[in-house]
Amino acid sequence: MSEGYDIAYFADAGFVRKVCSKCGSGFWTRDYERDTCGDAPCDTYAFIGAPVLKEHSTEEIRELFLSFFESKNHTRLKRYPVVARWRDDIYLNIASIANFQPLITSGSVPPPANPLVISQPCIRLEDLESIGRTGRHLTMFEMMGHHAFNKRGGEEIYWKNETVQYCDEFLKQLGVPEAGVTYKEAPWVGGGNAGPCLEVIVGGLELATLVFMDLEAVYHGKGEISIDGQWYRKMDTYIVDTGYGLERFTWASKGTPTVYDAIFPIVIEELLNSIGLEHPMQSYSNELIEIARLSGVMTRRELERKLQPQLPEDFFVKVMAPLETVYAIADHTRCLAFMLADGVVPSNAKEGYLARLVIRRTLRMLNSLRCEIPIEELVAMHIKLLHGSFPELKDSTDRINEILALERQRYQETLSKGERIVKQILKKQKELSVDTLINLYDTHGLPPEFVNEVASSIANIEIELPEDFYSRVAKMHGVEEPKQVSDPELARLKERVRAIPKTVRLYYDEPGSRDFDATVLDTFDNFIVLDRTLFYPEGGGQPADTGVIDGDLNVVAVRDVDGVILHEIEGDTGKISRGMHVRGSIDYRRRMAHTRHHSATHIVIWAARKVLGGHIWQAGAQKGETRSRLDITHYKRITDDERREIELLANEMVMRNEDIKAAFVERNEAERRYGFRIYQGGVPPGKELRIVRIGNDEDVQACAGTHCTKTGEVGPIKVLRTERIQDGIERLWYSAGEAAVRAIQARDALIKEAAAVLRIPEEKLPASVERFFEEWKQLRKENERLRAEIADLRVEHLKLRAVDIRGMKVISEVVADATMKDLMRMASRLSDDGFVVLLISGANGSVVCSVPPSAATTVNAADVVTHVCSVLGGRGGGTATSAKGGGSRLDRVEEAKEAGLKVIASRMSS
């Protein structure tokens, strides 16, 4: 018997173990005549047109599952967001077990309940090209899961026997015949863990997986078990990790040709009506059922070769292709409903990149069908249909509509610029590799289909597009880049302090203290380690405290190494030795500046969320003494009115003098009470989190920084400015406390000085500046008109100074006070009249050469300008008929003019 599958329930319930005659996998069945495992491609879909479960809606099956496991003493959990805020290694929630990785699965943190049951919306984008085509793939799906977390040496919750028994009982409740289910052995590996796994197959369709996670990877040295060349060892925990596919259960209960027909019938009908097509089931039901039945065992090309001869001509092109596109649009728009409602902001990075990928793929497909239903209407339709199960989605409808309208506009702007970009690339290379296509998509947002259309139309080049293009791109951006862990200095320090007790952090217990007494535990290099300290170590965007130890040892930096705080001393540690009693003093003014700015950061992000929307998420922050910055996710520029409203709300919070409370809370309890918004500043490790709460929990975050005890202590908050630092990320600069007062004073002084210069009262400054600006614009227009007149006069004068070189009229002159614009205007007029023109500005060294088209084969304007600019110590370029440039050597303008004239003469003589 295969190791790990010796499950007593199988024998007790009348199962026999067999080996599949096609794939060689072990499987368990009550059908003694069966010789295949039941899974595709060993068996076809038997449930198409003949449902194998009692018919239920998606909502009914979800409730049946959750209620069933509640009856088995499981605690029902609410869904987690589809954006994995509690993880720093993945962006999107890919499985129900992802809710509990890595801290709970490793045993570092207890689970929120044990055992538990959940129906978790998940998103996977690794098979984008398969969506719509295979009949079973989805970008967003609900994974119903029940989980039990066991610890070796402790009381076992339950393990393999109960897991299989629960599954068998649930399938029986849904009407699956006892002989109709097979359990296929399929060892599971993923995310650094492994274990035995059973795939639950009914009617040829895999409905669930039962994973028994009990191994962890060993990356250094030898483990206990080797799987595909990787060593594993037994985990301290062993976990029941199950995944029941909600949409697949619905599909199996309805027996429709595809999973899309089972779960998106209303959206599909709306899309088909909008493009004037009837559902092919009305005319080709037998054909579609046969295609669906075989789609699990054949590739698309195999299907076409087998079935096309018995189908109408071009059936897969004319019937299947548009239908599959409709399926994909229905799938993608439901995925977007969850992504955007859960706070993802489309951008060029992280989860925002993945959202934009799905949006633009959907827009391209809508365009290909000439469907006039806006993408936001389709998403809104899903939200309405999902309201009974996910009422929270409706709260985000207005924001989603605005985001998608903006994204549609940006996509059109991208395409309008894209043709020029592709043309420029095709000038340099005649073939476009996959890497080039990916770069065009990543850098410029150009879909490969669009690139192919442009290349075909302007250069008659057909590009071979990889079928898995979008999946490749999604995979590249699906996980967080691993952080650099190779830091020899940090490793050395960790080893050095390994035996030293953790430092008592007085800055939490005595936030108002300036001085403290401590005992020296160690000194090495230029570091001092104390048993207790007021010095805050750098972290969380807050700089370290500075100050002195024993009166004359300057502390210039402070760092935390595995809970031991190192005080870096300017110079060496001198007289300090182990066991000494010392007195430390922090720079309290600096500390309070940082403290006010840190509390202000929490207040500002609260205000930004109130003004801009619940999607606001901290993307970075840095606190300083005089000003701080906060980066937030947002889909458009912050307006001046919004900036002022954020500032007003922040100061109202300050004036309310609300409590700011900090306390250590058990992680699960913190997540249960406050949700995943506590991870605004990142995901700290550990069973307990330091939770900072403002007022009546208006803002709650896991934060290790120093904070005021009342919002009133922060003082005034001045939002200095906002800027967009990258697509989807807005930065707010602000000052708090004394720094804010100084910033306001500096701005007042600037206004006062400007008013004094203009000799007007300050309150009249805006109107006066606007009047002066309008007058300046009028004067500038008048100046341009006069310069044009002067240029016209100069043109006539220059014509009189033309020289004849082999029958061609040539003008080469230095113009005393001309701008580049003046030179270009005059050169254009003269070349239109048949002159070869070289003009140099005596004022700034600008150079312009213009050649009539009739003379361009003899004299090249770019060649002339290159020679002239080299004399002037500069450079230039252009075309054969028009070129410009310049140089800084104004003392050589006459020499440059003669050099240019010689080039013209030599070209006309050759």
Side-chain angles (χ1 to χ4, degrees):
M1 183 178 294
S2 179
E3 185 179 353
Y5 299 99
D6 50 341
I7 299 172
Y9 176 78
F10 281 141
D12 296 342
F15 284 86
V16 292
R17 184 179 187 273
K18 295 193 169 192
V19 175
C20 181
S21 61
K22 293 186 177 180
C23 69
S25 298
F27 68 95
W28 298 83
T29 179
R30 292 187 180 96
D31 182 355
Y32 299 159
E33 303 302 317
R34 171 176 281 280
D35 64 354
T36 55
C37 63
D39 196 11
C42 302
D43 288 270
T44 59
Y45 290 156
F47 68 94
I48 303 294
V52 291
L53 278 67
K54 296 175 185 175
E55 184 170 352
H56 290 290
S57 67
T58 301
E59 293 76 16
E60 288 169 342
I61 291 175
R62 183 194 299 113
E63 185 54 40
L64 283 170
F65 179 84
L66 295 171
S67 297
F68 173 84
F69 281 96
E70 279 185 312
S71 74
K72 304 296 183 183
N73 298 316
H74 289 62
T75 300
R76 183 190 297 211
L77 295 189
K78 293 181 179 179
R79 78 171 181 100
Y80 285 41
V82 297
V83 53
R85 300 294 194 194
W86 60 97
R87 300 280 295 270
D88 57 8
D89 56 339
I90 58 174
Y91 301 130
L92 299 175
N93 196 336
I94 57 174
S96 60
I97 194 66
N99 298 341
F100 315 113
Q101 291 173 318
L103 297 175
I104 294 172
T105 53
S106 68
S108 301
V109 172
N114 201 9
L116 59 85
V117 63
I118 189 171
S119 187
Q120 177 59 48
C122 305
I123 295 176
R124 296 181 188 173
L125 304 180
E126 293 85 356
D127 296 303
L128 274 172
E129 283 76 16
S130 298
I131 308 301
R133 301 190 71 189
T134 62
R136 65 184 182 277
H137 281 92
L138 297 162
T139 54
M140 181 262 156
F141 58 96
E142 272 189 72
M143 183 179 285
M144 304 184 297
H146 63 95
H147 302 278
F149 302 89
N150 303 293
K151 200 149 192 174
R152 299 192 192 282
E155 181 184 355
E156 183 173 279
I157 307 301
Y158 64 82
W159 191 224
K160 298 175 185 176
N161 260 345
E162 296 88 341
T163 302
V164 178
Q165 182 177 347
Y166 290 153
C167 181
D168 226 32
E169 289 180 13
F170 180 63
L171 292 176
K172 186 176 180 180
Q173 181 177 316
L174 292 180
V176 177
E178 285 191 344
V181 58
T182 61
Y183 293 87
K184 177 184 173 184
E185 297 171 0
W188 174 85
V189 173
N193 296 110
C197 170
L198 292 168
E199 294 177 351
V200 184
I201 301 157
V202 177
L205 181 66
E206 181 186 338
L207 291 177
T209 56
L210 314 177
V211 176
F212 306 105
M213 187 191 302
D214 63 349
L215 299 173
E216 61 185 2
V218 177
Y219 297 107
H220 302 290
K222 192 173 180 180
E224 302 165 17
I225 301 169
S226 178
I227 303 175
D228 295 332
Q230 170 66 56
W231 282 103
Y232 291 85
R233 66 186 173 208
K234 290 290 185 181
M235 297 163 57
D236 291 336
T237 56
Y238 54 106
I239 298 163
V240 173
D241 169 22
T242 67
Y244 291 63
L246 174 59
E247 289 82 1
R248 289 193 172 204
F249 273 85
T250 306
W251 185 19
S253 82
K254 294 181 181 294
T256 54
T258 72
V259 69
Y260 319 111
D261 294 299
I263 60 176
F264 304 133
I266 295 174
V267 177
I268 289 169
E269 183 180 7
E270 190 76 18
L271 283 164
L272 289 172
N273 288 340
S274 74
I275 60 175
L277 289 179
E278 67 174 12
H279 199 299
M281 277 296 287
Q282 297 178 27
S283 303
Y284 303 105
S285 59
N286 293 333
E287 291 85 347
L288 287 182
I289 288 173
E290 181 66 4
I291 290 170
R293 192 178 64 80
L294 296 174
S295 63
V297 299
M298 291 184 176
T299 65
R300 168 48 60 89
R301 288 181 182 176
E302 289 171 340
L303 271 173
E304 291 182 13
R305 279 199 300 269
K306 178 178 176 63
L307 299 178
Q308 184 59 69
Q310 63 200 56
L311 293 170
E313 186 179 356
D314 292 332
F315 182 82
F316 282 93
V317 174
K318 294 179 179 178
V319 177
M320 292 303 297
L323 179 61
E324 290 165 351
T325 302
V326 164
Y327 287 156
I329 292 169
D331 165 87
H332 285 22
T333 45
R334 182 180 71 151
C335 177
L336 289 170
F338 280 89
M339 273 183 147
L340 300 179
D342 281 2
V344 178
V345 173
S347 68
N348 291 332
K350 300 186 177 182
E351 66 273 7
Y353 180 98
L354 299 173
R356 179 165 287 167
L357 175 69
V358 177
I359 290 170
R360 293 194 169 183
R361 193 165 189 270
T362 307
L363 289 170
R364 181 185 60 76
M365 291 188 292
L366 286 167
N367 290 341
S368 74
L369 293 177
R370 292 182 171 81
C371 178
E372 295 184 359
I373 304 178
I375 186 174
E376 53 267 36
E377 284 189 20
L378 293 169
V379 173
M381 193 182 304
H382 280 294
I383 291 173
K384 185 176 180 181
L385 292 168
L386 291 163
H387 181 72
S389 302
F390 303 98
E392 69 274 13
L393 302 182
K394 187 178 180 182
D395 296 338
S396 305
T397 302
D398 291 343
R399 183 180 78 246
I400 290 172
N401 287 343
E402 187 176 5
I403 288 174
L404 291 173
L406 281 170
E407 285 298 304
R408 187 174 63 250
Q409 177 186 332
R410 288 167 181 162
Y411 180 59
Q412 293 303 322
E413 290 170 355
T414 294
L415 296 185
S416 66
K417 298 173 185 174
E419 186 171 338
R420 176 179 52 82
I421 294 169
V422 177
K423 283 180 179 177
Q424 289 174 344
I425 291 175
L426 290 174
K427 285 180 182 178
K428 301 175 184 176
Q429 55 193 77
K430 294 303 179 186
E431 293 184 1
L432 299 180
S433 66
V434 173
D435 287 343
T436 301
L437 292 175
I438 289 175
N439 183 59
L440 282 169
Y441 188 86
D442 261 0
T443 307
H444 303 288
L446 300 178
E449 298 85 357
F450 172 81
V451 175
N452 187 39
E453 290 169 8
V454 175
S456 177
S457 64
I458 67 174
N460 201 27
I461 296 174
E462 286 293 329
I463 301 170
E464 188 173 342
L465 303 180
E467 283 193 3
D468 63 343
F469 177 85
Y470 290 100
S471 298
R472 290 192 202 185
V473 171
K475 192 173 182 180
M476 286 168 51
H477 294 270
V479 296
E480 180 72 70
E481 287 294 323
K483 294 179 173 62
Q484 181 60 258
V485 294
S486 179
D487 185 345
E489 173 61 10
L490 179 58
R492 182 184 74 84
L493 291 175
K494 283 174 175 282
E495 180 60 28
R496 184 66 177 76
V497 304
R498 189 163 52 86
I500 300 176
K502 293 188 186 320
T503 309
V504 176
R505 299 160 189 258
L506 298 175
Y507 48 82
Y508 287 155
D509 302 327
E510 304 173 18
S513 296
R514 307 179 184 211
D515 308 302
F516 67 101
D517 296 310
T519 301
V520 178
L521 298 182
D522 200 2
T523 64
F524 62 93
D525 301 339
N526 57 337
F527 295 114
I528 295 176
V529 183
L530 306 174
D531 65 334
R532 57 210 300 264
T533 188
L534 271 178
F535 283 92
Y536 178 82
E538 181 177 2
Q542 180 173 331
D545 285 338
T546 58
V548 295
I549 291 177
D550 255 20
D552 57 357
L553 294 176
N554 291 326
V555 178
V556 294
V558 187
R559 61 188 301 181
D560 182 342
V561 179
D562 289 345
V564 177
I565 295 177
L566 308 183
H567 305 77
E568 185 176 343
I569 304 302
E570 185 177 35
D572 59 47
T573 56
K575 59 186 181 182
I576 302 298
S577 60
R578 291 182 189 175
M580 285 184 61
H581 297 289
V582 296
R583 188 165 183 79
S585 301
I586 63 169
D587 181 340
Y588 192 71
R589 186 186 184 99
R590 172 184 164 91
R591 155 72 74 78
M592 282 309 300
H594 290 155
T595 297
R596 289 190 176 103
H597 277 98
H598 206 141
S599 295
T601 300
H602 289 219
I603 294 171
V604 169
I605 198 168
W606 164 80
R609 195 178 299 112
K610 294 284 283 185
V611 173
L612 304 175
H615 63 286
I616 294 299
W617 192 265
Q618 181 175 315
Q622 184 62 48
K623 295 83 181 176
E625 286 187 73
T626 59
R627 65 175 185 170
S628 294
R629 59 173 168 80
L630 170 67
D631 300 336
I632 58 172
T633 56
H634 192 43
Y635 51 89
K636 61 180 181 179
R637 292 301 315 272
I638 297 173
T639 66
D640 285 340
D641 284 346
E642 289 168 337
R643 175 183 58 78
R644 284 190 287 267
E645 192 175 352
I646 291 169
E647 181 179 272
L648 183 61
L649 273 178
N651 282 287
E652 285 177 358
M653 171 69 81
V654 168
M655 290 183 287
R656 282 179 4 216
N657 200 27
E658 299 278 5
D659 288 333
I660 302 178
K661 297 178 180 178
F664 284 92
V665 181
E666 193 270 326
R667 179 183 289 270
N668 285 323
E669 180 63 17
E671 290 181 354
R672 187 189 65 79
R673 273 195 225 165
Y674 310 117
F676 298 106
R677 60 178 173 148
I678 61 176
Y679 297 127
Q680 291 279 340
V683 186
K687 294 181 181 180
E688 288 191 328
L689 302 175
R690 184 170 180 264
I691 298 296
V692 176
R693 299 161 46 218
I694 296 181
N696 189 25
D697 294 343
E698 276 95 339
D699 183 81
V700 183
Q701 296 188 40
C703 180
T706 62
H707 284 276
C708 302
T709 58
K710 290 275 194 178
T711 58
E713 296 170 11
V714 173
I717 296 173
K718 179 63 183 174
V719 180
L720 305 170
R721 60 188 172 91
T722 66
E723 60 184 338
R724 168 148 287 192
I725 60 167
Q726 70 180 64
D727 192 29
I729 305 290
E730 293 288 304
R731 174 169 289 173
L732 295 92
W733 289 96
Y734 50 93
S735 294
E738 180 183 326
V741 175
R742 292 188 181 278
I744 294 167
Q745 289 175 338
R747 192 160 292 186
D748 285 346
L750 194 63
I751 293 170
K752 194 175 190 70
E753 184 179 346
V757 169
L758 297 174
R759 297 180 182 178
I760 56 172
E762 292 172 24
E763 62 272 14
K764 292 186 178 180
L765 189 58
S768 298
V769 169
E770 186 175 356
R771 177 170 55 83
F772 289 152
F773 181 64
E774 289 299 322
E775 291 175 358
W776 174 80
K777 285 197 295 185
Q778 292 300 321
L779 289 172
R780 183 171 146 188
K781 286 181 182 178
E782 180 63 14
N783 185 49
E784 286 292 315
R785 187 186 66 77
L786 292 172
R787 293 192 76 90
E789 289 183 6
I790 293 170
D792 290 342
L793 293 172
R794 281 176 166 169
V795 163
E796 297 306 318
H797 175 70
L798 289 169
K799 286 180 180 179
L800 298 175
R801 297 178 61 80
V803 296
D804 187 286
I805 301 178
R806 292 189 174 272
M808 178 62 68
K809 295 177 288 184
V810 178
I811 297 171
S812 178
E813 291 289 335
V814 174
V815 185
D817 58 352
T819 64
M820 173 66 82
K821 190 172 182 180
D822 294 335
L823 297 183
M824 292 176 67
R825 183 186 288 118
M826 290 185 285
S828 177
R829 284 276 308 277
L830 290 165
S831 66
D832 286 347
D833 290 343
F835 292 85
V836 173
V837 186
L838 170 63
L839 300 177
I840 304 172
S841 170
N844 57 37
S846 296
V847 178
V848 172
C849 181
S850 192
V851 177
S854 59
T857 55
T858 306
V859 179
N860 186 299
D863 185 30
V864 174
V865 166
T866 299
H867 280 80
V868 172
C869 289
S870 67
V871 176
L872 295 173
R875 43 188 225 179
T879 66
T881 57
S882 178
K884 61 182 179 178
S888 58
R889 293 293 304 274
L890 300 184
D891 58 318
R892 300 181 68 179
V893 290
E894 290 294 338
E895 181 184 344
K897 180 190 76 170
E898 294 303 323
L901 192 57
K902 285 181 182 178
V903 172
I904 294 170
S906 67
R907 299 296 184 268
M908 297 184 72
S909 300
S910 59

